[in-house]
Amino acid sequence: MSRLTTLRELIGHFIGRRKFFFVPLLIVLLVAGGLLLLTGGLSYVAPFVYTLF
Amino acid sequence: MAAVLGVSAHYHDAAAALVVDGRIVAAQQEERLSRVKNDPSLPRMAIDACLALGDIEAAALDRVVFYENPYRKLERVMVGSFAAFPRGAGFFRRALRSQLGDKLWVLDQLAAHLGVKRERVSFVDHHQSHAASALDCAPFDDAVALTIDGVGEQESTAIWAPADGGPRRVASIDYPHSLGLFYAAITAYLGFRVNEGEFKVMGLSAYGTSRFDDEVNQLLRVAADGSFRLRTSAFDEHLRPDRAYGDELVQLLGPARESQRPWDLDSGEDRRFADLAASAQRALEEAVLALGRAAHERTGARHLALAGGVALNCSANARLLAEGPFERVFVQPAAGDAGGALGAALLGARSEGDAIDGRFDPALGVAADPDRAMAVARHLGLNADRVDDPEREAAERLAGGAIVAWVRGRSEWGPRALGQRSLLTRGDDVTLRDVLNRRIKGREAFRPFAPVVRDEHASALFEGAPNDMTPAMTTVCRAMDDSLPGCTHVDGTARVQTVGPEGALDGLLRAMEGHGQRALLNTSLNAAGEPLVAHVTDALDFFVRRKPDVLYVEDVRITR
């Protein structure tokens, strides 16, 4: 739950600063992170993560 | 009436500081406890130490304040990475992995470590933390703060005026125009480690002649209004963050120095590097002086308080006081990122409605435990006894040419040993200096040692001493004569520490006067590349490995 506060503050920061062009990148990164979290790091997520990082 | 914990972490020099009811109760750098030099990790040990020193449970903390804005930091890293794309793609991957995998979640990490609600953890701005630490610890009013470092969230330099809710920004300069970046690049170019070797560049510069001013001034240009700009194409922090300089800087200054080669200042090649260090130091000093004048013009303040990593450049600080427009200048001793923890705690205390108690003593770290020192020493087969008058006895040994390890009270806040965790010897003997440098400390011969003297003798031995910076060794003063060759630098200056009646070394210096010595050489209780000692067990470890003649922990004398 604590991390939701950070996510809320992060999104609020970028919206407040009107840096909308970062939103797609952040969404991709956060979805990848969320997938990792939900699947416990399953191997079929790995190729996407390696591509990104 | 609030208890506020301030924290800095994740870049370099992680630290924690505790302010209770507006009074600074404790401040501790993580590296002193973890024994990892410049330890950037979340300062769990330092946090726990501060809470123990304040005799307070984490649950009783009203606020926990991180020293910078993690979201603005992420934004700057992303923007910087895009600007360097596609060349900076590798950096982009590494930086985002580090940011999104770890640094972004620092407020959650703090809440989890302390077991407090996340809502109780907040952040302030990086340079405002520095400014608060400087203004609130300064021994004067009517001041302006100048904060200068590599980079915070976006700023590298800022001028701050005091205000009720915390320092108010008057003007700022954004990264990549940064004196910290400039000096870091020169540090790396000369073969030293960034964030650690900057002191060495300053020491080395005294051996050189500034014959490369024209070249260096192409890298760093100071404007008439006191601002400055870097030739950013010569700095390559996005592609090579460990060295910060690019090929263009090498084309301008010549080949960089290999990092592992021993120094030989009699060789033409190393003379060239010393001359380059002299020109870089000179350029930095001119830029800092211009900033000081701009701060004065904009605010009219009579006094200046400094913080940020560049404020640890004591030669520049000396010129600010001597040639700048201010009557008095003060530097918060932990001016680097560690000091941000203290500023964050002070800002948090203000926001809780507390008035700040301006009394400041840098002995804010963990306390010496003589009983434990005696028990461990005996377990190691060392001689450990209590003595009635350690000052008198240590003075006799020092007068006879001994090198004494000295542990007293709570450990120092900031990079300098101030008599709480010190190595001491006579300052009038260059042989003792060389033994200390090569055998005990194991560091480069060109690095100077510092003298310590009681307030009442300071003006007789050093020009302009004592002043607001000399108690914490954040400036240099010219020696009046050559009576202290062991702790006077090659250019005739010394990073002198002055001690008042309450100082940790006052009694020992008084005892030395009975032996005709008004000053001692004082250096940090550590070897090259190690953090300064904090706990007595680490002092004993140093004593066994590096073999100074005797170790005093309060009134416990330890010999082999």
Side-chain angles (χ1 to χ4, degrees):
Chain A
M1 287 305 287
S2 147
R3 292 201 168 205
L4 288 179
T5 306
T6 295
L7 282 176
R8 198 170 55 241
E9 289 179 356
L10 175 68
I11 292 166
H13 169 81
F14 279 99
I15 290 173
R17 302 268 295 173
R18 307 184 68 80
K19 298 283 171 108
F20 301 118
F21 54 95
F22 280 127
V23 171
L25 177 64
L26 273 176
I27 288 172
V28 171
L29 292 170
L30 293 172
V31 166
L35 267 175
L36 272 176
L37 210 67
L38 290 172
T39 61
L42 281 181
S43 55
Y44 49 77
V45 184
F48 298 102
V49 176
Y50 287 131
T51 309
L52 287 169
F53 292 102
Chain B
M1 305 289 274
V4 181
L5 183 75
V7 176
S8 63
H10 283 333
Y11 290 90
H12 46 88
D13 303 337
L18 180 65
V19 172
V20 179
D21 301 340
R23 188 172 64 87
I24 303 167
V25 170
Q28 178 68 58
Q29 199 169 329
E30 182 75 355
E31 65 159 22
R32 311 283 162 88
L33 306 179
S34 69
R35 311 307 300 155
V36 177
K37 184 79 171 171
N38 303 128
D39 192 345
S41 57
L42 196 76
R44 294 179 173 86
M45 285 184 274
I47 288 170
D48 296 347
C50 285
L51 295 177
L53 286 163
D55 193 21
I56 191 170
E57 299 286 331
L61 289 170
D62 295 283
R63 282 192 70 183
V64 179
V65 186
F66 190 59
Y67 82 127
E68 66 179 11
N69 181 332
Y71 313 121
R72 279 192 69 203
K73 195 98 179 188
L74 172 65
E75 179 190 324
R76 196 252 303 157
V77 170
M78 291 173 77
V79 170
S81 302
F82 274 130
F85 196 80
R87 290 195 315 146
F91 171 78
F92 178 75
R93 276 198 301 273
R94 284 193 303 276
L96 275 194
R97 186 164 50 195
S98 166
Q99 286 283 335
L100 298 179
D102 190 23
K103 294 171 179 172
L104 176 64
W105 313 101
V106 63
L107 307 183
D108 306 292
Q109 294 163 2
L110 286 170
H113 175 70
L114 289 161
V116 301
K117 287 185 177 172
R118 170 66 173 77
E119 284 67 29
R120 229 183 285 178
V121 185
S122 59
F123 59 83
V124 289
D125 280 356
H126 183 110
H127 273 257
Q128 194 181 28
S129 299
H130 281 317
S133 77
L135 286 169
D136 285 339
C137 297
F140 42 62
D141 296 320
D142 193 8
V144 58
L146 184 54
T147 58
I148 318 170
D149 68 4
V151 60
E153 292 89 357
Q154 184 62 46
E155 297 162 329
S156 71
T157 309
I159 297 169
W160 300 84
D164 287 342
R168 176 180 57 82
R169 184 186 290 99
V170 174
S172 62
I173 297 172
D174 279 356
Y175 185 84
H177 302 288
S178 158
L179 293 181
L181 172 61
F182 164 75
Y183 214 71
I186 297 294
T187 298
Y189 174 85
L190 294 173
F192 303 122
R193 281 187 64 183
V194 171
N195 290 328
E196 192 182 323
E198 282 79 354
F199 295 121
K200 300 180 186 180
V201 177
M202 190 171 56
L204 179 66
S205 68
Y207 287 87
T209 305
S210 52
R211 64 184 170 96
F212 291 105
D213 288 355
D214 290 344
E215 289 85 347
V216 171
N217 289 339
Q218 290 182 48
L219 297 171
L220 170 61
R221 288 189 186 280
V222 177
D225 65 354
S227 65
F228 62 85
R229 292 187 71 79
L230 292 190
R231 182 164 140 187
T232 52
S233 53
F235 297 88
D236 226 354
E237 72 284 359
H238 283 124
L239 293 181
R240 301 172 176 131
D242 56 329
R243 67 176 226 187
Y245 64 87
D247 295 338
E248 194 173 317
L249 186 141
V250 175
Q251 285 165 13
L252 185 68
L253 301 182
R257 191 179 190 280
E258 314 89 82
S259 58
Q260 299 301 322
R261 184 164 60 80
W263 281 86
D264 175 12
L265 288 170
D266 292 327
S267 74
E269 185 63 1
D270 280 352
R271 295 288 317 169
R272 184 177 78 83
F273 289 116
D275 292 345
L276 275 164
S279 287
Q281 174 65 26
R282 186 187 177 95
L284 179 92
E285 290 173 10
E286 294 298 334
V288 170
L289 260 173
L291 287 168
R293 291 183 182 120
H296 180 71
E297 280 170 16
R298 285 172 180 259
T299 64
R302 288 162 52 218
H303 306 135
L304 175 67
L306 281 166
V310 175
L312 291 171
N313 193 302
C314 49
S315 300
N317 299 342
R319 284 195 64 190
L320 254 179
L321 180 59
E323 301 172 40
F326 299 101
E327 295 171 25
R328 298 169 70 178
V329 176
F330 167 79
V331 180
Q332 194 269 112
D337 273 7
L342 179 57
L346 290 163
L347 285 167
R350 278 183 188 277
S351 68
E352 291 288 323
D354 283 347
I356 302 302
D357 182 339
R359 284 173 297 181
F360 174 69
D361 178 349
L364 290 165
V366 295
D369 182 346
D371 293 332
R372 180 162 170 74
M374 189 148 77
V376 175
R378 286 179 173 169
H379 185 75
L380 292 170
L382 302 168
N383 302 314
D385 308 288
R386 289 194 184 275
V387 293
D388 291 335
D389 191 346
E391 276 88 359
R392 183 186 58 76
E393 191 190 285
E396 282 175 16
R397 288 174 180 264
L398 286 162
I403 293 173
V404 171
W406 189 256
V407 175
R408 271 290 162 98
R410 293 176 60 180
S411 58
E412 297 90 341
W413 173 240
R416 303 295 177 207
L418 302 174
Q420 283 81 24
R421 305 290 186 272
S422 284
L423 273 171
L424 304 163
T425 194
R426 275 171 34 190
D428 61 346
D429 188 336
V430 289
T431 307
L432 289 171
R433 177 199 64 189
D434 292 341
V435 169
L436 193 54
N437 232 350
R438 291 177 191 278
R439 184 170 69 78
I440 309 281
K441 301 277 286 188
R443 61 182 204 170
E444 296 91 343
F446 63 77
R447 295 181 63 188
F449 286 117
V452 56
V453 59
R454 289 203 299 130
D455 279 347
E456 65 184 74
H457 298 307
S459 61
L461 294 172
F462 301 99
E463 284 178 21
N467 62 47
D468 296 299
M469 293 183 278
T470 53
M473 282 184 179
T474 51
T475 190
V476 295
C477 298
R478 187 158 295 282
M480 290 290 195
D481 55 37
D482 56 0
S483 63
L484 294 167
C487 46
T488 305
H489 202 21
V490 65
D491 62 356
T493 65
R495 200 182 58 231
V496 60
Q497 180 195 1
T498 56
V499 175
E502 306 298 322
L505 290 171
D506 181 69
L508 182 58
L509 287 165
R510 285 177 188 274
M512 286 306 294
E513 287 163 21
H515 297 276
Q517 302 271 332
R518 290 185 294 180
L520 281 170
L521 181 160
N522 174 21
T523 186
S524 52
L525 186 53
N526 63 339
E530 296 175 0
L532 183 56
V533 156
H535 283 305
V536 293
T537 44
D538 297 316
L540 279 163
D541 174 59
F542 178 87
F543 180 72
V544 169
R545 282 187 295 114
R546 310 302 298 198
K547 299 183 172 52
D549 295 302
V550 59
L551 165 64
Y552 289 92
V553 179
E554 307 283 358
D555 61 345
V556 172
R557 176 191 59 204
I558 297 161
T559 55
R560 276 176 289 277

